Amino acid sequence: MAGNVNPTVRRRRLGQELRRLREDKGMTAEEVADRLLVSQSKISRLENGRRSISQRDVRDLCGVYEVDDKKLIESLMQMARESRLQGWWHAFAELSPTYSVYIGLEMDASSLRVYEPQIVPGLLQTHDYAAAVIAGALPEVALEEVDSRVQVRLRRQHRIHEDRVPLRLWAVVDEGALRRAVGGADTMRGQVEHLLDCSRLPHVTLQVMPFSAGAHPGVNGQYTIMEFPENSDSTVVYLEGVTNDLYLEKPHDVQHYSVMYEHLRAQALSPEQTRDFLEGLLAEFIKQAS
């Protein structure tokens, strides 16, 4: 991948520009699809950045929208070329095509707000914990694929530990995820020690949602809110599924999940209380391992 071009983000930005041109023309996606003799779903996928956009697609859409600004057309063409480049994560696309979309967005995000009820967030996992989680969640995959997935997960963590401008991460993790003995006591001891180290990083905030909190806005499951450095890039809420993932970008959806996250923060242990909790949990795992 050349320079700092992120093909996933380029597709997304190009899709936003094409949507703007369509709306400025006063046309619906269905009308555009009829003009080009394609499905309406193709137009929608192009506009939401979930499908690769060819230069031919750009040319045809600019024709429908009667765009005559040559500089704008060339800019859109360049974005289309860049959107078809490949990031490092595309080498692992066969593991999960939908996962590569998420990684592309995560690589360009400036901040993540994560709630995890079942496991430690991937960006904070140790090698041994990640291997145990993946092997347990995918019992039928070969060891080689488990290792490949672990390597992808660890590569993602460069955003936390190695980038000059690190990712701002705020994670609320349910107590149950931390008491689940993934990989055994030794693995959990290493994982909790790693969480303590990460919690002291200036760009990482970690909070535990204790059992004592009772019902809370996160009981319906995991979600991630991704924000981006460019104002033109809308915030994305990511919901992970077993076979399909969901990306929400409509303002009212993002607002709903953002408000829920504020309630999660308020009900969870403070960062200082969380470190105290982790110290106590670490002592328990050390005792179990001895």
Side-chain angles (χ1 to χ4, degrees):
M1 186 174 68
N4 293 319
V5 172
N6 183 323
T8 303
V9 174
R10 282 291 186 272
R11 281 203 307 271
R12 192 160 170 258
R13 291 175 183 168
L14 177 54
Q16 290 171 347
E17 283 297 310
L18 293 174
R19 181 187 295 115
R20 180 185 62 80
L21 290 172
R22 175 178 60 78
E23 291 174 346
D24 287 349
K25 191 66 176 174
M27 299 181 69
T28 66
E30 184 177 7
E31 289 172 335
V32 176
D34 288 343
R35 286 280 298 274
L36 295 179
L37 301 179
V38 300
S39 67
Q40 182 179 344
S41 64
K42 175 179 178 178
I43 302 301
S44 297
R45 290 196 299 271
L46 291 177
E47 291 185 352
N48 65 27
R50 303 292 179 256
R51 177 188 175 120
S52 295
I53 305 178
S54 69
Q55 294 180 70
R56 179 176 179 176
D57 291 329
V58 171
R59 182 202 65 190
D60 292 346
L61 289 168
C62 284
V64 171
Y65 304 147
E66 299 180 341
V67 179
D68 54 14
D69 185 333
K70 292 183 178 180
K71 289 185 177 180
L72 174 58
I73 295 173
E74 178 52 36
S75 174
L76 296 176
M77 288 288 194
Q78 179 63 24
M79 292 175 73
R81 287 191 287 270
E82 292 175 349
S83 74
R84 300 178 75 83
L85 298 175
Q86 293 193 337
W88 64 263
W89 55 92
H90 285 86
F92 303 92
E94 70 279 1
L95 299 177
S96 173
T98 57
Y99 191 30
S100 66
V101 173
Y102 173 80
I103 296 175
L105 292 172
E106 183 183 84
M107 292 299 293
D108 201 61
S110 57
S111 72
L112 260 64
R113 286 173 283 168
V114 180
Y115 170 66
E116 275 287 0
Q118 297 290 344
I119 60 173
V120 171
L123 290 172
L124 300 176
Q125 293 178 7
T126 65
H127 177 283
D128 291 348
Y129 182 94
V133 163
I134 293 169
L138 302 171
E140 297 184 1
V141 305
L143 291 177
E144 292 80 5
E145 181 174 333
V146 171
D147 183 64
S148 293
R149 289 176 178 269
V150 171
Q151 295 309 313
V152 172
R153 193 156 298 183
L154 297 180
R155 179 72 180 271
R156 287 169 51 206
Q157 295 177 7
H158 289 192
R159 290 297 323 276
I160 299 293
H161 300 290
E162 298 186 21
D163 277 9
R164 287 188 306 158
V165 181
L167 179 69
R168 177 74 179 90
L169 175 65
W170 197 308
V172 177
V173 184
D174 194 88
E175 180 177 345
L178 299 173
R179 292 196 177 278
R180 188 183 307 280
V182 174
D186 281 332
T187 295
M188 290 305 300
R189 179 179 63 184
Q191 179 61 70
V192 174
E193 288 175 341
H194 184 62
L195 287 175
L196 280 165
D197 290 340
C198 290
S199 73
R200 298 185 180 99
L201 296 173
H203 52 279
V204 174
T205 300
L206 178 62
Q207 292 182 259
V208 169
M209 179 64 72
F211 289 147
S212 60
H216 57 78
V219 294
N220 289 325
Q222 177 271 352
Y223 68 93
T224 298
I225 304 173
M226 294 184 279
E227 296 177 305
F228 301 88
E230 297 291 334
N231 291 332
S232 59
D233 291 333
S234 58
T235 298
V236 175
V237 176
Y238 168 70
L239 305 173
E240 183 177 3
V242 176
T243 58
N244 290 291
D245 299 333
L246 185 62
Y247 297 87
L248 306 177
E249 300 181 53
K250 293 181 179 179
H252 70 272
D253 289 331
V254 172
Q255 175 68 9
H256 175 73
Y257 278 92
S258 295
V259 170
M260 281 184 18
Y261 204 82
E262 292 305 311
H263 285 288
L264 284 173
R265 288 175 173 177
Q267 291 179 240
L269 300 178
S270 70
E272 295 75 19
Q273 291 171 327
T274 291
R275 278 189 283 272
D276 291 340
F277 173 89
L278 291 175
E279 292 283 3
L281 189 61
L282 177 60
E284 293 181 30
F285 283 123
I286 290 175
K287 183 177 180 180
Q288 292 176 27
S290 61

